[in-house]
Amino acid sequence: MSCDTLNYEMHTCDIDGQDALSELFFETFLRSEGKQEAKLIGRLVSDLLADTSAGDLYVFVAKSADELAGGILFSRLSFDVGIEAFIMAPVAVHPDFQRRGIGQRLINYALAELCKLRVELVVTYGDPDFYTKVGFLHVEEARIPAPLNLQYPAGWLAQSLCGGEIPYLAGCSRCVPALNRPEYW
Ligand SMILES: CC(C)(COP(=O)(O)OP(=O)(O)OC[C@H]1O[C@@H](n2cnc3c(N)ncnc32)[C@H](O)[C@@H]1OP(=O)(O)O)[C@@H](O)C(=O)NCCC(=O)NCCS
């Protein structure tokens, strides 16, 4: 099965769409990480969709015909200096669709769309082996401050969109309320 369409939506999913997205994340993490992590990530997705202001959340999905193959959420990260920045989390490609390039295509598609929307910086927190394939580089917290204490600093990654170097951002950062829980960091 191939992924023929990459659609994106901006926090306008209807209830059915939101349930399907939470289900995709739950099912994906259940198979890769187990029940506890699946519940955590499922709750994170539901909370991000329910509690994040319009304009602070972008949702991108990969669909094959009517089937949801993958999804990514980007929520606003605010710094003391004015920069349009988002954190990419979480990311999932359904196990039935993994290792076919969909994850990388979806991320590249989403980053190009965010660049058009004048987003300057995207940060993520995950496996460097995967995310360096799509342009992310490890960054020190002295360069890009994390909003909460990181349990896995090697997974703190960033990339500048639309050209330019990853900036040094002094001061603090703040994530949206749904992500503001120590267990996600
Ligand atoms: C990680 C994930 C999004 C990748 O999506 P995908 O569509 O399978 O990835 P692609 O096909 O675009 O890329 C495949 C390559 O990425 C790497 N890769 C894929 N999954 C990986 C993983 N879990 N860890 C490390 N590298 C991984 C591999 O190098 C792979 O190349 P290979 O098949 O030649 O070995 C998907 O496997 C997934 O949802 N996993 C479970 C949930 C998760 O870990 N999400 C990310 C953290 S929020």
Side-chain angles (χ1 to χ4, degrees), residues 28-29 32 90-93 98-104 127 130-131 133:
T28 302
F29 280 85
S32 67
V91 177
V93 172
Q98 286 176 8
R99 303 233 158 185
R100 300 175 192 188
I102 293 173
Q104 291 172 72
D127 188 337
F130 177 65
Y131 291 113
K133 287 178 187 285

Side-chain angles (χ1 to χ4, degrees), residues 86-89 91 122-126 131 136 139 155-159:
F86 282 76
I87 180 159
M88 181 175 85
V91 177
V122 174
V123 172
T124 195
Y125 184 44
Y131 291 113
F136 286 88
V139 280
W156 191 232
L157 308 160
Q159 73 172 285

Side-chain angles (χ1 to χ4, degrees), residues 15 30 34 46 49-51 53-54 59 61 65 94 98 133 136 142 145 157:
I15 293 298
L30 182 64
S46 301
L49 293 170
D51 300 340
S53 312
V59 180
V61 295
H94 190 279
Q98 286 176 8
K133 287 178 187 285
F136 286 88
L157 308 160

